[in-house]
Amino acid sequence: MWGILIQQHLDAGWIHPSSSPYASPAFIVPKANPNILPPWVNDYHQLNKNIVMDSHLLPHINDILSDCAKGKIWGTIDMTNSFFQTQMQPNHIPLTAVNTPLRLYEWLVMPMGLKNTPAIHQHHITTALREHLGNFCHIYLDDIVIWSQTIEEHGQNVKAALKSLQDTQLYVNPN
């Protein structure tokens, strides 16, 4: 399994081989269904102890629900590999090195397991959709909810949100 997961991440440009003096453990969590690739988990427990918390807060669910109540039609958009769409700062890349059974790799994009990954990603998407937030959409990590009064308006709102995401090179799940 490791070989397949690593090759997928290498092909996507999310990781590269590392010679970093730092390393955190990585492991995979087996799935009950053997036909599904298991998730790759990074144990950044020690690194997270030394990270200064990012000040960007996640939105309050009650605020999202209150604004969504303004609509008659709702839809959601799911981001594709959302954390992996946010680039790591170059000087932080060596800190993300993880030990795998095959070798040491470091992340070029925001890996799961770092305590600031959700806040940094939320800030990235908030910046992309800032002009629409509270008007017809909200974001919570990798989910975007859009509300509208009519079908026609909903089509316009979805197109506007997708255009803003595209302009900042953020991508969504086509399903």
Side-chain angles (χ1 to χ4, degrees):
M1 287 295 171
W2 271 112
I4 295 169
L5 289 169
I6 288 169
Q7 193 58 54
Q8 284 181 342
H9 287 60
L10 285 167
D11 292 346
W14 297 336
I15 62 170
H16 66 208
S18 176
S19 58
S20 174
Y22 312 103
S24 295
F27 56 95
I28 57 176
V29 179
K31 291 285 191 182
N33 181 346
N35 298 320
I36 297 174
L37 280 176
W40 170 336
V41 179
N42 305 304
D43 181 2
Y44 288 122
H45 183 77
Q46 290 299 318
L47 179 58
N48 283 336
K49 287 181 181 179
N50 297 293
I51 292 177
V52 175
M53 280 298 292
D54 187 282
S55 61
H56 190 89
L57 299 175
L58 297 178
H60 291 99
I61 299 297
N62 289 343
D63 294 338
I64 294 172
L65 294 175
S66 175
D67 281 343
C68 286
K70 299 173 188 174
K72 293 181 181 173
I73 299 167
W74 302 270
T76 59
I77 298 174
D78 182 44
M79 303 289 294
T80 299
N81 295 313
S82 61
F83 291 164
F84 297 160
Q85 294 186 47
T86 301
Q87 300 293 312
M88 285 296 299
Q89 290 192 23
N91 58 330
H92 294 165
I93 290 172
L95 300 173
T96 68
V98 289
N99 270 318
T100 72
L102 303 180
R103 70 168 296 157
L104 197 64
Y105 291 93
E106 55 193 27
W107 290 85
L108 305 172
V109 295
M110 289 300 249
M112 296 208 210
L114 287 178
K115 72 178 178 182
N116 279 338
T117 296
I120 291 169
H121 178 68
Q122 182 75 33
H123 182 252
H124 189 189
I125 298 175
T126 297
T127 301
L129 293 174
R130 69 185 167 278
E131 68 185 272
H132 308 307
L133 294 177
N135 296 323
F136 65 78
C137 75
H138 270 293
I139 311 150
Y140 194 85
L141 295 176
D142 63 348
D143 293 311
I144 301 165
V145 62
I146 297 174
W147 62 88
S148 312
Q149 296 299 311
T150 66
I151 293 289
E152 295 77 24
E153 179 186 55
H154 198 66
Q156 293 168 356
N157 290 346
V158 169
K159 284 180 186 175
L162 291 174
K163 173 84 169 88
S164 294
L165 292 169
Q166 183 181 35
D167 289 348
T168 53
Q169 299 179 351
L170 289 168
Y171 304 97
V172 300
N173 185 331
N175 296 327

